[in-house]
């Protein structure tokens, strides 16, 4: 296809070109094609290609860079995380104050020590610029001293024993008008981010300016245009336009918004955000919000969470009642206690105040909705069959997500869930953009495109407050406190940081916070988005929170040779901690216990690149041992796996049924240099992003020592390479947006996991280790094992290659 230069005043109608296979090569600065009534602009800036729906391009981001303030523990005197030589509590005072994102910080530079200290005008010094970039910063500042300023951008941590240290981030930004100085500063900051000196590159991240929902949408077109060509841009645009039309249609009076089970912050935030925007823009409509699961206590303070209710699950109630009848006939001593527990469960499941359709408890017909909107749901298995009548009877169904869409994971969704993914795609009501780091960003962009945000902010302060709280909760949690600015493809891993995709998730949060101008801000996030298990000692002088740490240590395995860390926890361990915690807080759930393990210091150490970790050569306490890590050639792309036996046969499962199988869930995290997390999840039937994915397997008598057999297309695969090749093929097919939904199914390898019948095979850990070993062979790291100074290399290294316990 020929693209005409903008100077010719000609355009190409893309409707005549149904399938653009690749992004065209451009020889002019700007080329424009026409899609329907909108104009898409394609602009090449050096090696970068930029796409815009308007044909106009926003000014480049202001010259700035973000960094984590160093030396903060010296300004937290009196706190658990303080440095032994802490001189003051200036940062503690700042954290307690009414601080704002963007407030100015003063600075001083010591020429002799090359120390660049940062000071709050009211409380004094709070830390320093990281040493590797301090002098570089001063060289930039000296080009125009009056127009460079440091700004506080966030204060985090210091509110739980997991994070006893208050952390802070800042920007260095040029605020002057001299274009030459601005361009020079931008080049210098990019050079730092792209530096081959890992200490320099790791000290700075892209500046996060206020970023509007419209800019998020334009960035989607930009990134997807580069990755997959203008054909993909057209497909996304069509989905956005169709969904917007349905949201705006006054005929759609009754709407249900649904998020996935085992909800995280992104699911909760998407449901609250979409519901609040609809209510704020259309107060005459009936909008219901639902998640068929307990909301983690981490999010109980988020405004709008009280609006999320569950469907009535008659099948679950009947199942519990049958188990009560069976137990009442038992003479076992524990039966009476189990009956009491199940009776409470029946009461909970039938509590009409917790249901969005309470009439169904008494046999009434299920509500009929004009629209059912499913958000942030990676697979049909993460939803609930209790929604089936609502999907089946809906006028239309909308799907919005940021997880890679796999046909196999939705193949039976129509039968099991009532949701027809194929139909949603055909009707252009499925919007999936897997490059976006949080689904809340997509929801925000769609609501803005529909004009709902403007109406909401104008007409409903209550819904605006809920919307902002929900969206920033989801965005902050799903990006790991704004660390992840896009979901990268492995092919992009080697790109310089300044050239990588960036959706500015923190910038969008700043935009919404500023738009609300209320009490929902980053200070609110720090003080409300956490939950810690109670920790008063009950048994063996050990509180529930300390028990999590001790058992996490027992469940740790390390494989330095391939950059792998695994943490495992059994169901009985989690349940014992849950029962102890309930004695102190009756609202604690198994999800809270699970999250405590997942977010523990042990798991955090397994995930973190150890290059800059603080050393402790003689750990004694559990907290000190939790910080232990290993050195590896793969430190920049470590893989951490959390395995939890989260269902045990014979006990009540999350669907209020007596489980007939054991289940193990997997959370995979990697450094993003490869698609390791996604490949490993695919082996176990799951999925997700290149650097973050998950899976579940369930079988009778399954445990961490069970030997498993893997079949590929029906044939037993004893060779780990065969398993890796099949999983990698499925990931590549799934990620290829140029292949249509039906053809993807034909190209997928069928991977099945069964319990071994003859005692041969691999345990879960062995399977993960062997498949990752094959991946490391296929995609070796470019550098050899790094050489560290002796005092750094040996301080934090665990000398044993494996620590296998908690069987």
């Amino acid at each position: 296809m020929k693209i005409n230069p903008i100077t010719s005043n000609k355009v190409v109608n893309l409707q005549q070109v149904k399938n653009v296979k690749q992004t065209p090569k451009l020889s002019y600065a700007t080329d424009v094609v026409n899609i329907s009534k909108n104009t898409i602009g394609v602009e090449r800036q050096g090696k970068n290609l930029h796409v815009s729906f308007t044909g106009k391009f926003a000014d480049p981001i202001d010259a700035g860079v973000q960094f984590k303030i160093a030396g903060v523990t010296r300004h937290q005197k009196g706190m658990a995380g303080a440095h032994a030589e802490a001189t003051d509590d200036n940062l503690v005072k700042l954290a307690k104050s009414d601080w704002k994102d963007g407030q100015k910080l003063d600075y001083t530079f010591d020429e002799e020590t090359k120390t660049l200290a940062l000071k709050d005008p009211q409380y004094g010094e709070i830390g320093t610029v990281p040493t590797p970039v301090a002098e570089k910063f001063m060289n930039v500042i000296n080009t125009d001293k009056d127009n460079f300023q440091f700004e506080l951008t966030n204060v985090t941590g210091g509110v739980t024993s997991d994070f006893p240290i208050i952390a802070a981030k800042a920007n260095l930004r040029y605020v002057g008008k001299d274009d030459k100085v601005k361009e020079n500063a931008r080049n210098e900051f990019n050079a730092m981010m792209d530096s081959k000196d890992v200490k320099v590159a790791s000290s700075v991240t892209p500046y996060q300016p206020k970023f509007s929902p419209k800019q998020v949408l334009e960035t989607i077109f930009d990134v997807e245009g580069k990755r997959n060509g203008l054909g993909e841009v057209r497909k996304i645009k069509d989905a956005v336009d169709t969904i917007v039309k349905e949201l705006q249609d006054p005929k759609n009076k009754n709407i249900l918004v649904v998020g996935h089970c085992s909800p995280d912050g992104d699911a909760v935030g998407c449901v609250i955000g979409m519901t609040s925007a609809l209510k704020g823009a259309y107060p005459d409509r009936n909008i219901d919000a639902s998640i068929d699961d307990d909301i983690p206590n981490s999010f109980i303070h988020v405004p709008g969470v009280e609006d999320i209710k569950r469907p009535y699950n008659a099948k679950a109630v009947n199942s519990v009642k049958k188990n009560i009848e069976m137990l009442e006939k038992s003479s076992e001593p524990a039966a009476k206690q189990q009956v009491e527990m199940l009776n409470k469960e029946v009461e909970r499941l039938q509590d009409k105040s917790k249901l969005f359709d309470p009439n169904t408890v008494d046999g009434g017909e299920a509500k009929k909705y004009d629209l059912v909107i499913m958000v942030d749901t990676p697979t049909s298995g993460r939803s609930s069959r209790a929604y089936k009548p609502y999907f089946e009877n809906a006028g239309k169904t909308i799907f919005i997500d940021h997880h890679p869409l796999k046909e196999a994971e939705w193949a039976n969704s129509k039968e099991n869930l009532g949701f027809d993914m194929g139909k949603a795609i055909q009707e252009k009501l499925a919007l999936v953009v897997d490059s976006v780091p949080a689904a809340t960003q997509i929801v925000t962009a769609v609501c803005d495109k529909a004009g709902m945000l403007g109406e909401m902010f104008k007409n409903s302060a209550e819904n605006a407050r809920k919307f902002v709280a929900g969206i920033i909760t989801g965005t902050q949690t799903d990006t790991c406190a704004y660390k992840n600015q896009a979901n990268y493809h492995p092919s992009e891993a080697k790109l310089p940081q300044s050239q990588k995709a960036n959706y500015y998730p923190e910038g969008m949060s700043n935009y919404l916070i500023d738009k609300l101008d209320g009490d929902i801000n980053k200070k609110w996030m720090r003080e409300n988005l956490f939950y810690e298990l109670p920790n008063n000692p009950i048994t063996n002088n050990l509180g529930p929170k300390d028990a999590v740490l001790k058992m996490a240590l027992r469940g740790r395995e390390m494989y330095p040779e391939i950059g792998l860390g695994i943490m495992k926890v059994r169901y009985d361990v989690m349940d014992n901690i849950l029962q102890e915690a309930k004695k102190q807080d009756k609202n604690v759930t198994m999800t809270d216990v699970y999250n405590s393990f997942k977010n523990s210091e042990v798991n955090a150490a397994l995930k973190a690149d150890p290059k800059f970790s603080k050393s402790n050569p003689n750990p004694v306490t559990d907290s000190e041992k939790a910080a232990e890590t290993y050195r590896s050639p793969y430190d920049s792309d470590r893989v951490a796996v959390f395995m939890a036996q989260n269902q045990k046969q014979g006990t009540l499962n999350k669907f209020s049924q007596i489980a007939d199988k054991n289940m193990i869930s997997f959370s995979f995290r990697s450094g993003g240099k490869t698609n390791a997390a996604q490949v490993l999840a695919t082996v176990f039937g799951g999925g997700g992003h290149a650097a973050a994915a998950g899976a579940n397997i369930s079988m009778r008598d399954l445990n961490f020592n069970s030997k498993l057999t893997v079949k590929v297309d029906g044939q037993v695969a004893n060779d780990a390479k065969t398993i890796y090749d099949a999983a990698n093929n499925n990931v590549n097919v799934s990620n290829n947006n140029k292949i249509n939904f039906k053809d993807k199914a034909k190209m997928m390898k069928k991977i099945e996991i069964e319990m071994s019948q003859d005692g041969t095979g691999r345990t879960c850990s062995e399977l993960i280790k062997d498949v990752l070993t094959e991946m490391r062979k296929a995609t070796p790291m470019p550098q050899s094992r790094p050489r560290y100074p002796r005092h750094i290399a040996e301080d934090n290294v665990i000398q044993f290659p494996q620590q296998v316990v908690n069987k």
Side-chain angles (χ1 to χ4, degrees), residues 34-53:
N34 189 287
I35 293 187
S36 301
K37 297 178 181 180
N38 296 76
T39 299
I40 280 193
V42 183
E43 179 180 60
R44 185 176 294 281
Q45 297 176 356
K47 294 182 179 180
N48 296 326
L49 186 69
H50 299 274
V51 182
S52 167
F53 258 136

PDB file of all heavy atoms in Angstrom, residues 34-53:
ATOM      1  N   ASN A  34      -6.684   7.850   5.929  1.00  0.00           N
ATOM      2  CA  ASN A  34      -8.015   8.203   6.437  1.00  0.00           C
ATOM      3  C   ASN A  34      -8.763   6.953   6.840  1.00  0.00           C
ATOM      4  O   ASN A  34      -8.872   6.012   6.059  1.00  0.00           O
ATOM      5  CB  ASN A  34      -8.796   8.951   5.345  1.00  0.00           C
ATOM      6  CG  ASN A  34     -10.093   9.524   5.893  1.00  0.00           C
ATOM      7  OD1 ASN A  34     -11.037   8.789   6.144  1.00  0.00           O
ATOM      8  ND2 ASN A  34     -10.127  10.832   6.049  1.00  0.00           N
ATOM      9  N   ILE A  35      -9.244   6.929   8.081  1.00  0.00           N
ATOM     10  CA  ILE A  35     -10.090   5.833   8.528  1.00  0.00           C
ATOM     11  C   ILE A  35     -11.464   6.407   8.839  1.00  0.00           C
ATOM     12  O   ILE A  35     -11.609   7.205   9.759  1.00  0.00           O
ATOM     13  CB  ILE A  35      -9.523   5.148   9.778  1.00  0.00           C
ATOM     14  CG1 ILE A  35      -8.220   4.439   9.435  1.00  0.00           C
ATOM     15  CG2 ILE A  35     -10.494   4.151  10.333  1.00  0.00           C
ATOM     16  CD1 ILE A  35      -7.666   3.601  10.558  1.00  0.00           C
ATOM     17  N   SER A  36     -12.486   5.967   8.096  1.00  0.00           N
ATOM     18  CA  SER A  36     -13.848   6.447   8.281  1.00  0.00           C
ATOM     19  C   SER A  36     -13.847   7.971   8.305  1.00  0.00           C
ATOM     20  O   SER A  36     -13.329   8.607   7.411  1.00  0.00           O
ATOM     21  CB  SER A  36     -14.439   5.862   9.569  1.00  0.00           C
ATOM     22  OG  SER A  36     -14.423   4.454   9.499  1.00  0.00           O
ATOM     23  N   LYS A  37     -14.392   8.548   9.397  1.00  0.00           N
ATOM     24  CA  LYS A  37     -14.486  10.000   9.481  1.00  0.00           C
ATOM     25  C   LYS A  37     -13.268  10.617  10.153  1.00  0.00           C
ATOM     26  O   LYS A  37     -13.124  11.814  10.210  1.00  0.00           O
ATOM     27  CB  LYS A  37     -15.753  10.396  10.257  1.00  0.00           C
ATOM     28  CG  LYS A  37     -17.041   9.955   9.577  1.00  0.00           C
ATOM     29  CD  LYS A  37     -18.241  10.346  10.418  1.00  0.00           C
ATOM     30  CE  LYS A  37     -19.543   9.899   9.770  1.00  0.00           C
ATOM     31  NZ  LYS A  37     -20.721  10.268  10.592  1.00  0.00           N
ATOM     32  N   ASN A  38     -12.417   9.751  10.697  1.00  0.00           N
ATOM     33  CA  ASN A  38     -11.266  10.268  11.421  1.00  0.00           C
ATOM     34  C   ASN A  38     -10.008  10.153  10.585  1.00  0.00           C
ATOM     35  O   ASN A  38      -9.903   9.307   9.708  1.00  0.00           O
ATOM     36  CB  ASN A  38     -11.059   9.480  12.731  1.00  0.00           C
ATOM     37  CG  ASN A  38     -12.211   9.660  13.676  1.00  0.00           C
ATOM     38  OD1 ASN A  38     -13.253   9.075  13.464  1.00  0.00           O
ATOM     39  ND2 ASN A  38     -12.021  10.452  14.698  1.00  0.00           N
ATOM     40  N   THR A  39      -9.056  10.968  10.857  1.00  0.00           N
ATOM     41  CA  THR A  39      -7.778  10.905  10.162  1.00  0.00           C
ATOM     42  C   THR A  39      -6.727  10.336  11.096  1.00  0.00           C
ATOM     43  O   THR A  39      -6.578  10.781  12.222  1.00  0.00           O
ATOM     44  CB  THR A  39      -7.343  12.298   9.702  1.00  0.00           C
ATOM     45  OG1 THR A  39      -8.327  12.809   8.806  1.00  0.00           O
ATOM     46  CG2 THR A  39      -6.017  12.233   8.978  1.00  0.00           C
ATOM     47  N   ILE A  40      -6.020   9.341  10.597  1.00  0.00           N
ATOM     48  CA  ILE A  40      -4.899   8.809  11.356  1.00  0.00           C
ATOM     49  C   ILE A  40      -3.630   9.426  10.801  1.00  0.00           C
ATOM     50  O   ILE A  40      -3.372   9.375   9.600  1.00  0.00           O
ATOM     51  CB  ILE A  40      -4.823   7.278  11.259  1.00  0.00           C
ATOM     52  CG1 ILE A  40      -5.822   6.653  12.212  1.00  0.00           C
ATOM     53  CG2 ILE A  40      -3.438   6.795  11.614  1.00  0.00           C
ATOM     54  CD1 ILE A  40      -5.628   5.194  12.413  1.00  0.00           C
ATOM     55  N   GLY A  41      -2.850  10.001  11.653  1.00  0.00           N
ATOM     56  CA  GLY A  41      -1.561  10.534  11.233  1.00  0.00           C
ATOM     57  C   GLY A  41      -0.474   9.555  11.600  1.00  0.00           C
ATOM     58  O   GLY A  41      -0.496   8.958  12.671  1.00  0.00           O
ATOM     59  N   VAL A  42       0.472   9.356  10.705  1.00  0.00           N
ATOM     60  CA  VAL A  42       1.613   8.492  10.963  1.00  0.00           C
ATOM     61  C   VAL A  42       2.859   9.342  10.795  1.00  0.00           C
ATOM     62  O   VAL A  42       3.104   9.876   9.722  1.00  0.00           O
ATOM     63  CB  VAL A  42       1.649   7.297   9.992  1.00  0.00           C
ATOM     64  CG1 VAL A  42       2.803   6.377  10.348  1.00  0.00           C
ATOM     65  CG2 VAL A  42       0.334   6.545  10.027  1.00  0.00           C
ATOM     66  N   GLU A  43       3.619   9.482  11.858  1.00  0.00           N
ATOM     67  CA  GLU A  43       4.779  10.360  11.828  1.00  0.00           C
ATOM     68  C   GLU A  43       6.020   9.594  12.251  1.00  0.00           C
ATOM     69  O   GLU A  43       6.010   8.901  13.271  1.00  0.00           O
ATOM     70  CB  GLU A  43       4.564  11.547  12.777  1.00  0.00           C
ATOM     71  CG  GLU A  43       5.746  12.513  12.813  1.00  0.00           C
ATOM     72  CD  GLU A  43       5.482  13.655  13.769  1.00  0.00           C
ATOM     73  OE1 GLU A  43       5.274  13.385  14.961  1.00  0.00           O
ATOM     74  OE2 GLU A  43       5.482  14.807  13.320  1.00  0.00           O
ATOM     75  N   ARG A  44       7.067   9.696  11.453  1.00  0.00           N
ATOM     76  CA  ARG A  44       8.327   9.071  11.820  1.00  0.00           C
ATOM     77  C   ARG A  44       9.261  10.129  12.388  1.00  0.00           C
ATOM     78  O   ARG A  44       9.495  11.157  11.758  1.00  0.00           O
ATOM     79  CB  ARG A  44       8.972   8.398  10.611  1.00  0.00           C
ATOM     80  CG  ARG A  44      10.251   7.623  10.978  1.00  0.00           C
ATOM     81  CD  ARG A  44      10.822   6.886   9.781  1.00  0.00           C
ATOM     82  NE  ARG A  44       9.961   5.825   9.307  1.00  0.00           N
ATOM     83  CZ  ARG A  44       9.862   4.624   9.887  1.00  0.00           C
ATOM     84  NH1 ARG A  44      10.557   4.363  10.973  1.00  0.00           N
ATOM     85  NH2 ARG A  44       9.075   3.706   9.392  1.00  0.00           N
ATOM     86  N   GLN A  45       9.744   9.878  13.612  1.00  0.00           N
ATOM     87  CA  GLN A  45      10.719  10.767  14.239  1.00  0.00           C
ATOM     88  C   GLN A  45      11.980   9.945  14.466  1.00  0.00           C
ATOM     89  O   GLN A  45      12.057   9.175  15.423  1.00  0.00           O
ATOM     90  CB  GLN A  45      10.186  11.329  15.558  1.00  0.00           C
ATOM     91  CG  GLN A  45       8.947  12.190  15.394  1.00  0.00           C
ATOM     92  CD  GLN A  45       8.389  12.639  16.735  1.00  0.00           C
ATOM     93  OE1 GLN A  45       8.887  12.248  17.779  1.00  0.00           O
ATOM     94  NE2 GLN A  45       7.360  13.459  16.684  1.00  0.00           N
ATOM     95  N   GLY A  46      12.917  10.065  13.552  1.00  0.00           N
ATOM     96  CA  GLY A  46      14.095   9.212  13.614  1.00  0.00           C
ATOM     97  C   GLY A  46      13.695   7.774  13.351  1.00  0.00           C
ATOM     98  O   GLY A  46      13.066   7.464  12.339  1.00  0.00           O
ATOM     99  N   LYS A  47      14.001   6.874  14.297  1.00  0.00           N
ATOM    100  CA  LYS A  47      13.628   5.476  14.154  1.00  0.00           C
ATOM    101  C   LYS A  47      12.246   5.183  14.719  1.00  0.00           C
ATOM    102  O   LYS A  47      11.744   4.080  14.607  1.00  0.00           O
ATOM    103  CB  LYS A  47      14.664   4.592  14.865  1.00  0.00           C
ATOM    104  CG  LYS A  47      16.052   4.636  14.235  1.00  0.00           C
ATOM    105  CD  LYS A  47      16.994   3.694  14.976  1.00  0.00           C
ATOM    106  CE  LYS A  47      18.374   3.710  14.349  1.00  0.00           C
ATOM    107  NZ  LYS A  47      19.315   2.799  15.066  1.00  0.00           N
ATOM    108  N   ASN A  48      11.636   6.159  15.339  1.00  0.00           N
ATOM    109  CA  ASN A  48      10.351   5.940  15.999  1.00  0.00           C
ATOM    110  C   ASN A  48       9.186   6.307  15.092  1.00  0.00           C
ATOM    111  O   ASN A  48       9.229   7.293  14.369  1.00  0.00           O
ATOM    112  CB  ASN A  48      10.263   6.759  17.287  1.00  0.00           C
ATOM    113  CG  ASN A  48      11.306   6.322  18.298  1.00  0.00           C
ATOM    114  OD1 ASN A  48      11.635   5.155  18.369  1.00  0.00           O
ATOM    115  ND2 ASN A  48      11.825   7.267  19.063  1.00  0.00           N
ATOM    116  N   LEU A  49       8.129   5.531  15.157  1.00  0.00           N
ATOM    117  CA  LEU A  49       6.917   5.781  14.394  1.00  0.00           C
ATOM    118  C   LEU A  49       5.807   6.150  15.358  1.00  0.00           C
ATOM    119  O   LEU A  49       5.592   5.486  16.367  1.00  0.00           O
ATOM    120  CB  LEU A  49       6.522   4.511  13.624  1.00  0.00           C
ATOM    121  CG  LEU A  49       5.352   4.630  12.660  1.00  0.00           C
ATOM    122  CD1 LEU A  49       5.748   5.494  11.473  1.00  0.00           C
ATOM    123  CD2 LEU A  49       4.927   3.251  12.171  1.00  0.00           C
ATOM    124  N   HIS A  50       5.097   7.242  15.084  1.00  0.00           N
ATOM    125  CA  HIS A  50       4.036   7.690  15.964  1.00  0.00           C
ATOM    126  C   HIS A  50       2.725   7.753  15.190  1.00  0.00           C
ATOM    127  O   HIS A  50       2.692   8.176  14.043  1.00  0.00           O
ATOM    128  CB  HIS A  50       4.379   9.061  16.563  1.00  0.00           C
ATOM    129  CG  HIS A  50       5.625   9.037  17.388  1.00  0.00           C
ATOM    130  ND1 HIS A  50       5.637   8.692  18.719  1.00  0.00           N
ATOM    131  CD2 HIS A  50       6.917   9.268  17.061  1.00  0.00           C
ATOM    132  CE1 HIS A  50       6.878   8.737  19.175  1.00  0.00           C
ATOM    133  NE2 HIS A  50       7.670   9.082  18.188  1.00  0.00           N
ATOM    134  N   VAL A  51       1.654   7.318  15.825  1.00  0.00           N
ATOM    135  CA  VAL A  51       0.345   7.278  15.184  1.00  0.00           C
ATOM    136  C   VAL A  51      -0.617   8.136  15.976  1.00  0.00           C
ATOM    137  O   VAL A  51      -0.633   8.101  17.209  1.00  0.00           O
ATOM    138  CB  VAL A  51      -0.190   5.826  15.108  1.00  0.00           C
ATOM    139  CG1 VAL A  51      -1.531   5.789  14.398  1.00  0.00           C
ATOM    140  CG2 VAL A  51       0.805   4.930  14.393  1.00  0.00           C
ATOM    141  N   SER A  52      -1.452   8.906  15.300  1.00  0.00           N
ATOM    142  CA  SER A  52      -2.438   9.758  15.964  1.00  0.00           C
ATOM    143  C   SER A  52      -3.736   9.718  15.186  1.00  0.00           C
ATOM    144  O   SER A  52      -3.739   9.751  13.957  1.00  0.00           O
ATOM    145  CB  SER A  52      -1.938  11.201  16.052  1.00  0.00           C
ATOM    146  OG  SER A  52      -2.988  12.074  16.416  1.00  0.00           O
ATOM    147  N   PHE A  53      -4.871   9.630  15.881  1.00  0.00           N
ATOM    148  CA  PHE A  53      -6.159   9.624  15.203  1.00  0.00           C
ATOM    149  C   PHE A  53      -6.494  10.984  14.610  1.00  0.00           C
ATOM    150  O   PHE A  53      -7.239  11.077  13.663  1.00  0.00           O
ATOM    151  CB  PHE A  53      -7.267   9.256  16.189  1.00  0.00           C
ATOM    152  CG  PHE A  53      -7.693   7.835  16.043  1.00  0.00           C
ATOM    153  CD1 PHE A  53      -7.889   7.051  17.153  1.00  0.00           C
ATOM    154  CD2 PHE A  53      -7.878   7.274  14.799  1.00  0.00           C
ATOM    155  CE1 PHE A  53      -8.278   5.739  17.031  1.00  0.00           C
ATOM    156  CE2 PHE A  53      -8.263   5.956  14.669  1.00  0.00           C
ATOM    157  CZ  PHE A  53      -8.456   5.184  15.788  1.00  0.00           C
TER     158      PHE A  53
END
